[in-house]
Amino acid sequence: MASSLLISHSNFLSFSQSPTLFPFHLKTTAIKQRQQQRQHYSPPSRHLNIVSSSAASASLEALIFDCDGVILESEHLHRQAYNDAFAHFNVICSSSLPLNWSPDFYDVLQNRIGGGKPKMRWYFKEHGWPSSNLFEKPPEDDESRAKLIDTLQDWKTERYKEIIKSGTVEPRPGVLRLMDEAKAAGKKLAVCSAATKSSVILCLENLIGMERFQGLDCFLAGDDVKEKKPDPSIYVTASKRLGVSERDCLVVEDSVIGLQAATTAGMSCVITYTPSTADQDFKDAIAIYPDLSNVRLKDLELLLQNVAAAS
């Protein structure tokens, strides 16, 4: 079985201190050390009791993937697109240079505030509304501020699509193989992402290919549910559309927000973390991996069996 990585309770205490938005830098050396530490832990049985006792008969019938962070490492691409938008519209806050979000700052921001428009609105409220090519002076009324944010977000989205279609972006290790293994074994396959549908479709078409995309048994995006993760709606909806009980679904996520959505829906969840989520508290995951390169379908089936046995 692949070396699944769950941290013992005492070690989780050191991981669970979520970064605050001030100061805006992460201790990257410490994060790297934590990533290395995680590769030496196996899951203690006490963490397996995360689903109801009815899971005693659980078997892996459906494998559900998040998109951003799981199928592809996308946050640095989103950051690039935001910064390109700020430069294009000459968005200036407190300095004479266009706004530019650093990697450390964006890691914290994207893990605390979901959605592009809320991110920008929060930032401008905290640091002052900017001047730009759209507004020579910082906008003062709600309508003008909404126009600024809408325009920036629309341009950023198109720029992000250009990056995805450039052919330079690849899926994370092991993702395509694991999808193919699941399909070959007769398991149902789904993708559930909180991102907008057009963005997710673009990513899937370019990264997993049209055949795999069209072969999905269920595909849901943020547009398809009223509430976004960590609300469980998207996974509850997926279970119904797949015709598979929540206890027989296994979710692959990269962040604690996605983990919360999955477990609240009654599903077991494995984590494949990224550099921007490595510092999060994944105590409710049944396994933690740096990527899926050494993870096989049989490993995930055994994990779900262990969950049932521990319930």
Side-chain angles (χ1 to χ4, degrees):
M1 176 174 156
S3 57
S4 53
L5 310 171
L6 262 176
I7 316 302
S8 66
H9 180 67
S10 61
N11 285 291
F12 251 121
L13 295 178
S14 65
F15 283 85
S16 62
Q17 304 302 317
S18 300
T20 59
L21 285 172
F22 294 96
F24 290 130
H25 78 280
L26 296 175
K27 297 179 180 178
T28 54
T29 300
I31 290 176
K32 290 179 180 178
Q33 291 173 345
R34 289 166 182 166
Q35 290 174 338
Q36 294 171 353
Q37 287 176 331
R38 282 185 165 172
Q39 299 180 27
H40 299 287
Y41 289 94
S42 58
S45 59
R46 75 174 195 87
H47 279 135
L48 296 176
N49 189 20
I50 64 173
V51 292
S52 65
S53 58
S54 62
S57 60
S59 63
L60 179 54
E61 298 296 333
L63 189 59
I64 306 176
F65 291 83
D66 180 27
C67 185
D68 286 342
V70 173
I71 294 177
L72 75 160
E73 283 195 35
S74 57
E75 294 310 327
H76 66 292
L77 305 178
H78 285 290
R79 186 182 68 85
Q80 177 185 338
Y82 279 118
N83 287 338
D84 289 348
F86 298 150
H88 179 78
F89 290 101
N90 198 32
V91 175
I92 296 176
C93 288
S94 56
S95 70
S96 59
L97 298 175
L99 176 61
N100 188 287
W101 284 342
S102 70
D104 287 350
F105 169 78
Y106 190 74
D107 277 351
V108 178
L109 181 65
Q110 65 94 13
N111 282 312
R112 288 303 181 91
I113 301 176
K117 293 181 182 181
K119 283 182 177 68
M120 288 188 285
R121 186 171 292 277
W122 175 87
Y123 186 89
F124 295 148
K125 282 183 177 180
E126 291 292 326
H127 297 271
W129 287 85
S131 62
S132 65
N133 291 344
L134 295 168
F135 297 96
E136 183 177 350
K137 295 182 179 180
E140 296 182 355
D141 60 275
D142 291 343
E143 182 178 353
S144 297
R145 290 175 174 179
K147 180 181 178 180
L148 171 66
I149 289 178
D150 288 347
T151 303
L152 290 172
Q153 184 65 29
D154 289 346
W155 197 95
K156 175 264 175 185
T157 298
E158 292 306 310
R159 175 63 181 133
Y160 179 74
K161 290 179 180 179
E162 290 176 359
I163 296 171
I164 294 295
K165 290 188 288 188
S166 68
T168 61
V169 183
E170 296 183 353
R172 294 191 67 191
V175 170
L176 300 186
R177 176 190 43 74
L178 191 55
M179 284 184 168
D180 292 344
E181 283 186 15
K183 267 296 183 181
K187 310 299 183 183
K188 292 191 175 181
L189 197 62
V191 172
C192 293
S193 171
T196 57
K197 179 162 287 187
S198 61
S199 175
V200 183
I201 289 175
L202 180 74
C203 288
L204 295 179
E205 288 179 346
N206 283 271
L207 294 174
I208 72 172
M210 287 299 299
E211 184 176 352
R212 289 189 186 89
F213 178 44
Q214 293 175 351
L216 292 175
D217 298 289
C218 177
F219 163 58
L220 294 172
D223 315 54
D224 296 313
V225 291
K226 291 182 179 180
E227 301 293 335
K228 293 190 177 185
K229 303 172 186 178
D231 187 274
S233 299
I234 196 165
Y235 288 125
V236 172
T237 302
S239 173
K240 293 177 180 177
R241 292 196 182 180
L242 290 167
V244 176
S245 170
E246 290 90 343
R247 68 175 178 269
D248 295 326
C249 297
L250 182 61
V251 176
V252 184
E253 276 281 0
D254 71 301
S255 70
V256 70
I257 290 176
L259 172 63
Q260 290 169 353
T263 55
T264 304
M267 298 179 180
S268 297
C269 181
V270 299
I271 290 292
T272 170
Y273 59 84
T274 68
S276 66
T277 64
D279 201 35
Q280 296 182 3
D281 183 353
F282 298 127
K283 64 180 182 297
D284 288 330
I286 63 172
I288 302 172
Y289 306 103
D291 59 51
L292 299 174
S293 57
N294 294 316
V295 181
R296 301 287 174 172
L297 181 65
K298 62 182 180 182
D299 301 325
L300 301 182
E301 290 178 311
L302 183 57
L303 280 171
L304 205 57
Q305 291 172 13
N306 289 340
V307 169
S311 298

